[in-house]
Amino acid sequence: MSIMIVEPFFPLVINIIKHKFNIMVVFEWYEITLFLFLVIYLIVTLTLAMLFLKKYLEVKKIEFLYIGLLVFIFSLANTIQWISSFFLVAFTGQPLNPTLMYSIQGFSVLSLIFGFLFFHKLILISKFKKNIATTLLIMIVLFISVIYYIALFIDYSLIGTLDAKGWTALTWTSLSNILFTIANILFFVTFLLFILQALRTPEKRIKLKGKLLLIASMLLAISVSSAFALDFFHGAVYWLMTFLLIHTPRIVGFIFFYIGFTLPSSIERIFLKEN
């Protein structure tokens, strides 16, 4: 069965692809733009994850391993299934199974466990309090994940609604919004405790790290919170808000995330140069 195409831009390129692969592609310009944003986001975040893991191999500090795994799993869980489904729709007309797509998405919550382990290493409170707090946070995330997957395997519509072509998430249900919100709040509260600790130190280098991480947290918070407001938009405006308020702040936020934690010497020289 052939699928009709709405040709956005670059008609010559599209015609070449159509003739070369003998396919017809059904995507509006804004859908193609969303797909490109997802690919860019995945490339950027996977690069940052590899840099964190490289840093771990160089300095042998377990916190860099934790943060690298957090970024790696979180970035894959938010993109790989939608990118794969886009290709399947383009070449076969059929998306990935919705249950499979939402199953992969669920790992974005589980990845926060590595974030809590990271903060466990760096937050300056008593070991006993850290152990209790970290254990409690991990248990809550696991409980959230259990609820998410039970609802998912009962009926994927309890988690969200896909767009008309079935290749990406259009809206999330109240249940999934609540579960994601709780998990994100726990992560951001822990993250902010670490940032406040960094900002209160008299050491300029640590304080600079705190400022950069504060910018990262603000951008990531914009990205996360904006996802809950998308239900108020429709059509091309919906996709425009997705680009501007979700994907762009998330990409830039993760870049600040990496810079803040590793503080490359070039950044340190620029902001900490002596007058």
Side-chain angles (χ1 to χ4, degrees), residues 38-54 68-77 79-80 83 254:
L38 288 174
V39 172
I40 292 170
Y41 168 75
L42 181 60
I43 292 172
V44 171
T45 51
L46 287 183
T47 300
L48 294 176
M50 293 302 105
L51 289 173
F52 275 121
L53 295 175
K54 179 175 178 287
L69 291 172
L70 166 64
V71 176
F72 179 78
I73 297 173
F74 186 85
S75 62
L76 281 179
T79 55
I80 193 65
I83 292 172
F254 270 118

Side-chain angles (χ1 to χ4, degrees), residues 55 78 113-114 152 176 179 188 202 255:
K55 190 76 173 178
N78 279 288
I113 291 174
F114 291 106
L152 172 61
S176 55
L179 295 177
F188 278 111
I255 292 173

Side-chain angles (χ1 to χ4, degrees), residues 184-202:
N184 287 319
I185 287 175
L186 292 175
F187 177 79
F188 278 111
V189 167
T190 312
F191 192 18
L192 288 174
L193 287 175
F194 173 73
I195 292 172
L196 291 173
Q197 179 178 288
L199 291 174
R200 288 171 179 168
T201 182

Side-chain angles (χ1 to χ4, degrees), residues 56 69 109 145 198:
Y56 164 71
L69 291 172
V109 174
S145 297

